[in-house]
Structure formats: structure tokens, C-alpha cells
Amino acid sequence: MTNSAFKTAAVIVAAGRGTRAGAGLPKQWRPLAGQRVADHAIAAFVTHPRVDHVLAVVHPDDTTHTNNLSIPTVTGGDTRDASVLAGLNALDAQGFSHVLIHDVARAGIDAATIDAILDALQTGANGAAPALPVTDALWRGENGVVTGTQNRDGLFRAQTPQGFAFDAILAAHRAHPGNAADDVELARAAGLDVAIVAGNERNLKITTPDDFARLEQHLQNHRRAPMDIRLGNGYDVHAFEDGDHVILCGVKIPHSKALKGHSDADVGMHAVTDAIYGAMAEGDIGRHFPPSEAEWKDMDSAVFLKHAVDLATSKGFTISNVDCTLICERPKVGPHASAMMVRMGEIMGLMSDRVSIKATTSEKLGFTGREEGIAAIATATLVKP
């Protein structure tokens, strides 16, 4: 489940020229398994439910290749660290708590590796990066002759994405003189600890012409399974009764009437809860919390919504977004919509910009038009990578 304080961007570094990859286009724009190298790398982050925003850093000469990208771009610099800094500067002040920095040439990056990095960051690490232990014997050499050996204990092959607390890595980049091998070296120079997570052999970096064939074989052998995307809808109605307030989407609103129900009658939260249950084919609130049972009398509807969210998480789903429309003449929802979005996001573990709360009237028609009650409809999107 996404933490409401954990908002992650990904920076795809795609401004290099890749001269070692042989003649032709820069390697990021060459074909690979039916797409371009860059398309594979970008798709891994765009489709990942825990990545909120993706940005590519590109070379100014590559506009003919970047016009059809599905993500925003910024122009890179003369070196890799200058390009990364350009991407970080473009994301500054947008509220991101963490960032993943990825080399576009690693087009075989998988969701599990991204998850491992995010898990490490979410549990408090300032930085985290994937790596593979060195298993081959290591030699020293000169003029084509072996001159010695190197102990491989504690040595790793570094990969990307490399993830960091956003403000910390931005400050580290701004303070560094340049020419770091990667962002981990730069972070360590700033005093940041970087956790090692398990890498993946498929996450190889295209460097030479032979690497295209190697990675294409990996991709063909490990085609990403289609994401399991579920949509659910919910609908609920509660009549008015005597009272002085209503509770809508977790927010208490003064009103000349109250909503009648077995629980707190939060019609908006009920519709969203049913939408989440519906996306999993798990029925509705009544199946899980029967109104015939006294223990649910006057219950805070947040209990129902949290149960639906936890059930989705236990099944491997992430809630991507919810959209709820309240249908009533009064009270006016607009002044309270932002507070509702925040409260619903807190319960579901979502940023408020993934929770849409809005209202409409029924033009004085029907029971809502006669102000006999309030209706709500909702849609929820669940994603399992």
C-alpha cells in the first residue's frame, strides 16, 4: 500500500551518446524486442503502481526521437551527473519524497527490483540500489599479461535504478564537483548510507553491440506478464432524518438534517468501499459487515473502508485511484472536497491527488432533488503488477 507521505518520482537518464554500442543511432533509440530500448525502460516505471511520476533526461539533438515519448522530458548536460542534476532540478518543489535514478540502457529492469528498492527506502534508508555479487575470479593485468589477482569478497556489480530520499540526493548533486561513477558514489561522498538490494541478471546494461542480442533474449524469455487491472463501481443511498450534521467521505459537515443508517451513514465512503470490494468480486459492505449485527451500529465507516483496502493489499493489489461523486442539492460539497480527499487518502494510504471527490445536483429531480437524501457513485482502480 502506498504511504501518503511517500511520493516517488523516477528520472530516466537518456542523454548519452553510447559510442561503444557501435555505429548508428544512440543506443536508447535503437530497436529492441519490438520497441526502442528507451520504451522498455520507461514502461517499467510508468506501469509501476508505486511510482507517481516519470521524467526522462534527453540530449538536445534527440527531439525527433523524444516527441512521441509518453512522459515529460528535460535537456541533459555534458556528463551523466549533470544530466541527473537537470532532472532533479526539474522535479524540485513538486513534493516528491524519494526518487529513483535509472540508466535508460538498462531496459530489462523488472518490477520486483523496483519494489525492493522502494521497500528499503520506505523503511528508512537514505539510499538503496540493486547489485549482484561478483562470482568470477578477478585478475589484475598489464600489457595483456596477468599480473595478480583480486579478492572478490564483498565486491558487487552495481545496477540501477538507484533510489534516494529526494532532498538528500538533490543536495548531494548540487554540492558535488562532478564526474562520479554513479549516484551511489556521489551519495556516499555526501555521507549518505546506501543499502544494497538484490539485483537481477536481466537488468544488464547495453554497452556493446552484442548486448542488444543478449538483452533481447532475456526479454523474450521473461516477457512481463500483463498487469492485472481491475475496475469496480459502488453506489449507495441514505435518507435524511432529524439532525444537525452529516458525515461525507469522513468529514463532518453542519446541516439541517442528518443521514439515516445503521453505521454513521457516510454515503460517499460506503460507495468507495463497495467499489473496492467490487473490483475484487468480494460483494459489498453488507457481506462483510451485516447490518443485522448490532456491533456495527453507529460504526465509523472508516473501519469498512480500511477493511476493503487491507483485503486488496492481501490479494496483492495496489489501489491506483478512486473517484466518488456525491449527488445532492445540499449541503454544498465544494468547500469541503479538499478535506474529504485528504481524509480518504489517509485511510487508504493514497496521495490526495489519487482521490477524486466531487458533487453534482439532480436538477431538483427525484429523491435527491426533493432533498430526501443523498446518493453517491464511485469507481476504484486496482492494479496487480
Side-chain angles (χ1 to χ4, degrees):
M1 189 192 324
T2 303
N3 187 319
S4 59
F6 194 87
K7 186 177 181 182
T8 302
V11 174
I12 311 298
V13 186
R17 299 295 81 190
T19 54
R20 286 180 291 173
L25 293 173
K27 58 190 175 185
Q28 57 268 40
W29 310 122
R30 296 189 198 179
L32 177 72
Q35 296 178 287
R36 299 173 300 180
V37 170
D39 297 325
H40 287 282
I42 290 169
F45 294 89
V46 169
T47 60
H48 198 288
R50 297 172 67 186
V51 177
D52 299 287
H53 182 73
V54 184
L55 172 77
V57 185
V58 299
H59 195 278
D61 294 342
D62 289 350
T63 54
T64 57
H65 305 294
T66 60
N67 286 337
N68 59 349
L69 287 181
S70 60
I71 59 172
T73 63
V74 296
T75 301
D78 294 333
T79 62
R80 183 188 184 280
D81 23 3
S83 292
V84 173
L85 180 56
L88 295 175
N89 283 334
L91 296 172
D92 193 17
Q94 294 189 36
F96 294 107
S97 62
H98 293 81
V99 63
L100 302 174
I101 302 169
H102 186 64
D103 292 332
V104 70
R106 294 188 184 275
I109 180 60
D110 59 296
T113 301
I114 296 172
D115 275 325
I117 298 164
L118 293 175
D119 288 344
L121 295 174
Q122 200 156 10
T123 53
N126 284 321
L132 293 169
V134 172
T135 56
D136 294 327
L138 296 177
W139 297 336
R140 296 183 184 278
E142 187 175 348
N143 299 323
V145 176
V146 176
T147 59
T149 60
Q150 174 66 50
N151 190 325
R152 62 177 179 250
D153 291 346
L155 295 181
F156 292 83
R157 292 183 284 143
Q159 296 185 332
T160 67
Q162 296 173 355
F164 305 93
F166 185 90
D167 291 342
I169 196 63
L170 175 59
H173 264 278
R174 287 175 174 173
H176 198 270
N179 294 319
D182 62 7
D183 299 287
V184 168
E185 178 182 333
L186 190 145
R188 293 189 68 248
L192 301 178
D193 290 332
V194 180
I196 299 173
V197 304
N200 191 315
E201 289 288 357
R202 190 166 77 250
N203 190 21
L204 65 90
K205 183 177 182 180
I206 295 175
T207 304
T208 67
D210 290 343
D211 292 333
F212 287 92
R214 289 175 58 211
L215 184 52
E216 181 146 359
Q217 187 63 51
H218 277 301
L219 292 174
Q220 289 174 348
N221 291 341
H222 299 87
R223 287 286 184 184
R224 293 185 180 95
M227 295 186 71
D228 188 354
I229 301 175
R230 307 284 189 92
L231 295 179
N233 63 69
Y235 177 77
D236 196 35
V237 173
H238 283 280
F240 282 127
E241 63 179 6
D242 292 339
D244 60 7
H245 73 275
V246 295
I247 297 175
L248 295 175
C249 295
V251 175
K252 183 177 179 179
I253 302 173
H255 190 49
S256 59
K257 299 175 182 177
L259 287 173
K260 182 179 180 180
H262 186 66
S263 63
D264 62 4
D266 189 332
V267 63
M269 197 174 290
H270 291 179
V272 171
T273 303
D274 279 352
I276 296 171
Y277 284 139
M280 300 180 287
E282 284 284 349
D284 58 13
I285 293 174
R287 176 192 294 187
H288 301 276
F289 302 93
S292 58
E293 296 181 5
E295 64 180 302
W296 311 123
K297 177 67 174 172
D298 299 324
M299 180 61 66
D300 183 344
S301 293
V303 172
F304 309 150
L305 179 56
K306 186 66 165 56
H307 178 269
V309 171
D310 289 345
L311 183 60
T313 301
S314 72
K315 290 176 174 286
F317 289 102
T318 296
I319 299 173
S320 178
N321 75 294
V322 299
D323 181 22
C324 179
T325 302
L326 299 164
I327 306 165
C328 60
E329 301 294 327
R330 293 184 303 139
K332 295 301 181 184
V333 170
H336 308 281
S338 293
M340 293 177 183
M341 291 164 64
V342 170
R343 177 57 182 148
M344 294 285 281
E346 288 174 348
I347 299 169
M348 291 185 286
L350 296 177
M351 297 293 291
S352 59
D353 62 1
R354 291 181 179 268
V355 182
S356 169
I357 307 293
K358 57 191 186 298
T360 187
T361 70
S362 53
E363 301 293 338
K364 303 292 184 180
L365 299 175
F367 74 92
T368 56
R370 295 190 298 269
E371 299 191 42
E372 296 172 359
I374 298 179
I377 57 175
T379 301
T381 306
L382 274 59
V383 178
K384 182 189 295 184

